[in-house]
Amino acid sequence: MEKETTFDSDLIHAIFKHIWTRRSLERERNGGTDAMESEFLLDQAGAGTSKKNRPTSANANALKLSCELLQVFVTEAVQRAAAIAEAEGVSKIEATHLERILPQLLLDF
């Protein structure tokens, strides 16, 4: 049985960290009271640190599952786009084929 390739978990973790960092910086730049800050104000009387001050992380199982989900999502997108291209008599998938399948694909996932 052939092993199906999947995305590299280190790559996915790096992408997640990049997004988490960007969102954190956007929150700091906006400076207004958002959901995280409201939660912090509510928890100030309680013990522990706020979510705003804790670093975001993902465990190995979550990363592995994220990689598998992305693999399934991309494979399904390519298969659906290929079906549209084949129906049009084209041998190459183009961006327009992906654009046509994307709304239903997102609803299915």
Side-chain angles (χ1 to χ4, degrees):
M1 184 172 179
E2 133 184 6
K3 185 179 187 234
E4 187 174 321
T5 59
T6 185
F7 291 101
D8 180 27
S9 62
D10 291 334
L11 172 65
I12 300 304
H13 189 245
I15 292 169
F16 286 172
K17 284 177 78 173
H18 177 74
I19 298 299
W20 295 330
T21 302
R22 188 187 315 172
R23 286 189 178 168
S24 176
L25 292 174
E26 285 175 3
R27 260 189 257 122
E28 288 175 11
R29 237 190 342 233
N30 291 340
T33 303
D34 62 2
M36 290 280 219
E37 290 175 327
S38 298
E39 188 171 325
F40 172 71
L41 294 174
L42 291 174
D43 287 341
Q44 235 175 354
T49 60
S50 73
K51 286 185 178 182
K52 185 176 180 181
N53 294 332
R54 285 185 277 174
T56 306
S57 62
N59 68 28
N61 289 332
L63 286 172
K64 183 178 178 183
L65 185 61
S66 296
C67 291
E68 290 176 14
L69 179 65
L70 283 170
Q71 180 64 35
V72 170
F73 184 83
V74 169
T75 301
E76 185 66 22
V78 169
Q79 288 176 350
R80 291 183 187 194
I84 296 291
E86 186 179 338
E88 292 179 352
V90 181
S91 62
K92 186 176 179 183
I93 298 173
E94 298 175 1
T96 56
H97 300 124
L98 290 169
E99 290 170 358
R100 288 175 55 193
I101 61 100
L102 192 59
Q104 187 62 49
L105 180 67
L106 291 174
L107 287 172
D108 290 345
F109 274 80

